[in-house]
Amino acid sequence: MGDTTRQPVLEETLGDAPTTHAKLLAWVAEVSELTQPDSVYWVDGSEEEYARLTDHLVEAGTLQRLNPELFPNSFVGSSDPKDVARVEERTFICSEKEADAGFTNNWMDPAEMKAILRERFAGSMRGRTMYVIPFVMGPLDAEQPQFGVEITDSAYVVASMRIMARIGTDVLRKMEAEDAFFVPALHSVGAPLEPGEADVAWPCNEEKWIVHFPEERSIWSYGSGYGGNALLGKKCYALRIASVIARDEGWLAEHMLILKLTSPEGKAYNVAAAFPSACGKTNLALLDPTVEGWKAETLGDDINWMRIGKEGELRGVNPEYGLFGVAPGTGWGTNPNAMRAIAKGNSIFTNVALTDDGGVWWEGMTEEVPAHLTDWEGNDWTPDSGRPAAHPNSRFCTPISQIDMLAQEYYSPDGVEIHAILFGGRRKTTIPLVTQARSWTNGIFMGSTLSSETTAAASGAVGVVRRDPMAMLPFIGYNAGDYLKHWGTIEAKANPERLPKVFLVNWFRRTADGGFAWPGFGENSRVLKWAIERIEGTADAKETPIGYIPTGESIDLTGLDMTPEQVEEAVKVDPAEWKEELKGIEEWYARFGDALPAELAAELKQLQARFA
Ligand code: GTP
Ligand code: SPV
Ligand code: MN
């Protein structure tokens, strides 16, 4: 490790006045006055710059270069053990009025919050470089490009942002030409360096603040260098702030993958699916269909911006540029498409284990477990160490362009028509493998009552069932009741013939012996086939109180060692389980108070009546 007391002052790429965008210049000046960095650097997004940044991160001990024969141009780093996931309890929506944040969000008066944050940010970049990253979420040639600028004192964030979003000088030039609005996104790890003080590999602060000002459309993030806390284009902008913009402009910003499926007859369908964090979006987005004759192509794995198209169809765009995927469970057996994308290199891995030959490993990557590893915390590890080698929320960060099965339409600013929407959670009981909603409103009911066991993607207890409306609980940037109302307004704006059909899925149901009721992963293509055949009107279904479920014979089991009776078990609606579930839904809906849309209260009443 070299002298890490100072980050090298990277040369200015754009001279003294790097932009003609007056608002941006003023904001950069204001922030640098407040945070007192050693130097200010405008990120150009070039490959050469990326090489310098990663060299610097290697020298600082934040990253290690992987064996280029195994993973070319790739790096691995470990975070501080106290900075490994999103921190929902430290995430705030600071709307002017508390009611506009609603009961699902933490709230504080914006002026009060600004006072706290100014204190934290004062001098917070001392001894560090302040990086200015112009970025755009979605294609730069969109009709209305959604610009942002992240200011950060973390080179790791800059390198990761280059993978996850379109960044750099091209973006800045377009922003200037249009004198465009941009979301100011301020980030500091909150670890200033005194003169002569040595840096640590992963600077961060015990105290974390992930704060959104929805009216101002601004973001202030302090104290964490990790994932959704720090890569501000992702959850903070593309979901929390964008959901507010979407409410005001009549569209939807959702926590969804987008997958294109082509039937053996050559007909294409695009499916969007909302599953909570670490519940299978990336896996379904990179699906390797096991069902004969079907082709799958990826459009997105985490975020879907949906607007109403010219013909009243719902169109989805993935605003991201990379994958920030859960590593554990991603393997050659379960997700070979992700593995192939990762193997092309150009990736940053965080909190995974290191193999002795300079590669990476995590639980589930290969069937054979290596005899020796260096675990994510840098300790020696063997299979009988009794602890996981990779952190459960360890991640790979990889350019989306490296996915072989990426759909061409990914690059289109108009996106794709969405034909089906899936809501899904991680539930051991009660929720069938798949259920088709009776109507759009019934589909919103399913989404609004979605529930899932918590995962390692957020700090806190794992495995606790909680309601997670549209898989957006931690990401709705305003009042959750208003959010559900907004979903309701889509029906009137859309062409009724073109409204997506809605389904509820659960890949995680267990049988009495504790095993999974459904094999999942590539086999999920069989469920998607059924859903599409329902749209086409050719698949059989059975009506139940909660919606339409497949008959045992209607799921294509060709080549799968499973019987129609086992399918019936996986889709069964058990009245005793639903009696409990209805109680949970009732309690959940009660929390919305007056903000609950009347048509959803009516949906619950009807469901209760059907079970009575
Ligand atoms: P975020 O990036 O946090 O939003 O997560 P995600 O929704 O993209 O989840 P991901 O696809 O990364 O999957 C998370 C975990 O669920 C991994 O450990 C997977 O192996 C597991 N998983 C995904 N799909 C299935 C499935 O169909 N069946 C089972 N049993 N497990 C699955
Ligand atoms: C999630 O938690 O939903 C993620 C990971 O996709 S993070 O970027 O940390 O939000
Ligand atoms: Mn996610």
Side-chain angles (χ1 to χ4, degrees), residues 367-379:
E367 228 164 276
E368 201 182 323
V369 178
H372 178 264
L373 294 166
T374 305
D375 75 8
W376 72 278
E377 292 188 275
N379 304 310

Side-chain angles (χ1 to χ4, degrees), residues 139 141 166 299 321 400-401 406-414:
D141 57 352
R166 297 154 170 97
L299 285 143
Y321 206 45
I400 199 166
S401 60
L406 190 70
Q408 243 334 288
E409 298 92 314
Y410 162 78
Y411 295 100
S412 159
D414 296 330

Side-chain angles (χ1 to χ4, degrees), residues 255-555:
H255 191 202
M256 291 175 168
L257 68 96
I258 317 172
L259 177 69
K260 176 179 172 183
L261 287 162
T262 307
S263 73
E265 294 75 41
K267 200 147 185 242
Y269 291 91
N270 303 302
V271 175
F275 309 154
S277 302
C279 289
K281 286 183 303 302
T282 302
N283 276 273
L284 194 66
L286 291 155
L287 177 88
D288 215 2
T290 51
V291 69
E292 193 71 27
W294 287 73
K295 183 180 171 191
E297 291 165 89
T298 309
L299 285 143
D301 83 316
D302 200 51
I303 298 179
N304 176 13
W305 285 357
M306 286 186 286
R307 292 183 169 79
I308 309 268
K310 290 191 182 70
E311 295 167 17
E313 80 282 24
L314 206 51
R315 303 195 72 85
V317 170
N318 169 16
E320 298 196 279
Y321 206 45
L323 310 172
F324 188 66
V326 178
T330 306
W332 289 104
T334 54
N335 194 344
N337 292 310
M339 293 305 293
R340 272 192 287 274
I342 293 166
K344 289 184 191 170
N346 310 307
S347 299
I348 299 174
F349 300 89
T350 308
N351 292 343
V352 302
L354 260 174
T355 59
D356 294 346
D357 58 354
V360 286
W361 194 84
W362 48 75
E363 280 66 26
M365 183 204 252
T366 53
E367 228 164 276
E368 201 182 323
V369 178
H372 178 264
L373 294 166
T374 305
D375 75 8
W376 72 278
E377 292 188 275
N379 304 310
D380 276 316
W381 185 96
T382 61
D384 43 37
S385 288
R387 57 173 198 278
H391 187 278
N393 192 38
S394 56
R395 299 265 168 174
F396 58 87
C397 183
T398 299
I400 199 166
S401 60
Q402 291 183 190
I403 299 176
D404 291 330
M405 63 183 290
L406 190 70
Q408 243 334 288
E409 298 92 314
Y410 162 78
Y411 295 100
S412 159
D414 296 330
V416 295
E417 176 167 2
I418 302 296
H419 300 94
I421 291 176
L422 271 48
F423 294 114
R426 186 184 279 270
R427 289 289 305 269
K428 292 192 175 71
T429 66
T430 320
I431 310 298
L433 172 63
V434 59
T435 315
Q436 184 186 4
R438 297 159 193 276
S439 64
W440 181 254
T441 306
N442 186 225
I444 299 177
F445 176 79
M446 283 178 170
S448 71
T449 57
L450 187 67
S451 57
S452 196
E453 292 150 23
T454 51
T455 66
S459 63
V462 167
V464 182
V465 174
R466 70 172 186 186
R467 300 285 148 190
D468 192 340
M470 280 75 174
M472 282 285 282
L473 179 71
F475 309 121
I476 303 170
Y478 58 103
N479 184 303
D482 294 341
Y483 168 78
L484 296 181
K485 264 182 214 138
H486 182 58
W487 262 87
T489 64
I490 298 297
E491 186 171 21
K493 283 186 220 148
N495 176 342
E497 313 268 284
R498 305 279 282 269
L499 258 184
K501 296 283 183 282
V502 181
F503 300 83
L504 180 67
V505 300
N506 178 20
W507 312 141
F508 300 91
R509 198 177 199 181
R510 305 289 179 135
T511 55
D513 65 13
F516 284 108
W518 177 254
F521 301 102
E523 308 298 356
N524 293 334
S525 57
R526 301 172 191 273
V527 175
L528 296 174
K529 180 186 173 191
W530 180 82
I532 287 169
E533 287 174 351
R534 287 296 296 167
I535 297 174
E536 290 180 337
T538 56
D540 273 346
K542 190 175 132 186
E543 192 171 356
T544 76
I546 63 169
Y548 300 97
I549 59 169
T551 59
E553 305 284 346
S554 63
I555 299 264

